[in-house]
Amino acid sequence: MSNEQQNNQLVVQNSGSLSFSSHLSKEDEEMQRSALSTFRAKEEEIEKKTMEVREKVQLQLGRVEEETKRLATIREELEALADPMRKEVAVVRKKIDSVHKELKPLSHTCQKKEKEYKDALEAFNEKNREKVQLITRLMELVSESERLRMKKLEEISKNIDSMQ
């Protein structure tokens, strides 16, 4: 089929469907209007019921809040009756918590300083050992030097004695 034949066939098909749809459009419009009005009525009914439920929930929430406040007041009164020293105990506990919070960083600082001290002491001891080793070596060298000098002096002295 050529493009022109296809276009003609589509025009015929479209015009046929247009005349058919225009014939049914009045009935369709009536059905659509009816369905739309039914839909709107149901939406309004759902919205109305939603608002009623929201109002009921708000009322219940208000009552719950009032009862919660009442229960909290009653609980406070019961706690006050149960332990007359409760406030003092609470104050001391807060102080303990505060001191505990202050101790944590001090403990860390102390541990860090102890480690630094141990490291410094170890380095000091190591250098001290090294110094002792060097002094020992120096003493050995001085002794060897003195021994060699004495030996040389004795040789020179023997030479001088033999010259005479």
Side-chain angles (χ1 to χ4, degrees), residues 1-12:
M1 248 190 230
S2 70
N3 279 342
E4 191 176 323
Q5 287 176 338
Q6 286 177 344
N7 287 340
N8 287 338
Q9 189 175 9
L10 284 174
V11 169
V12 170

Side-chain angles (χ1 to χ4, degrees), residues 142-156:
V142 167
S143 294
E144 181 68 21
S145 174
E146 286 176 355
R147 191 182 62 76
L148 288 174
R149 283 184 7 205
M150 285 300 285
K151 186 177 177 184
K152 198 67 161 170
L153 279 173
E154 285 178 11
E155 285 178 16
I156 293 173

Side-chain angles (χ1 to χ4, degrees), residues 27-91:
E27 292 173 11
D28 284 347
E29 282 182 30
E30 244 347 273
M31 284 177 32
Q32 286 177 355
R33 285 186 190 143
S34 173
L36 188 58
S37 66
T38 303
F39 176 75
R40 285 184 181 153
K42 290 206 180 223
E43 281 293 315
E44 288 173 7
E45 183 180 337
I46 289 171
E47 187 66 30
K48 184 178 175 184
K49 287 198 179 225
T50 302
M51 291 304 287
E52 289 174 5
V53 169
R54 281 188 183 150
E55 289 174 7
K56 287 180 182 178
V57 167
Q58 287 298 329
L59 286 173
Q60 287 292 342
L61 285 174
R63 287 188 204 125
V64 167
E65 286 178 16
E66 290 174 16
E67 290 300 317
T68 302
K69 288 177 185 175
R70 251 186 70 216
L71 286 173
T73 304
I74 291 170
R75 179 182 289 142
E76 288 174 7
E77 290 173 0
L78 281 173
E79 287 177 359
L81 287 175
D83 188 4
M85 301 295 287
R86 183 177 63 86
K87 287 183 181 178
E88 289 82 2
V89 168
V91 168

Side-chain angles (χ1 to χ4, degrees), residues 88-149:
E88 289 82 2
V89 168
V91 168
V92 171
R93 283 185 178 164
K94 284 182 182 178
K95 285 182 181 179
I96 289 171
D97 289 342
S98 173
V99 169
H100 180 69
K101 286 178 183 175
E102 291 172 11
L103 277 175
K104 276 186 176 181
L106 290 174
S107 172
H108 291 296
T109 301
C110 189
Q111 289 172 354
K112 183 180 175 185
K113 298 284 184 187
E114 283 178 348
K115 185 181 182 318
E116 288 176 8
Y117 170 75
K118 287 178 183 176
D119 292 344
L121 184 62
E122 186 177 319
F124 172 79
N125 287 334
E126 180 64 33
K127 288 295 178 186
N128 222 5
R129 280 191 292 273
E130 186 180 343
K131 178 184 166 189
V132 168
Q133 288 174 350
L134 289 172
I135 289 173
T136 304
R137 177 69 178 139
L138 177 66
M139 295 299 286
E140 290 172 358
L141 290 173
V142 167
S143 294
E144 181 68 21
S145 174
E146 286 176 355
R147 191 182 62 76
L148 288 174
R149 283 184 7 205

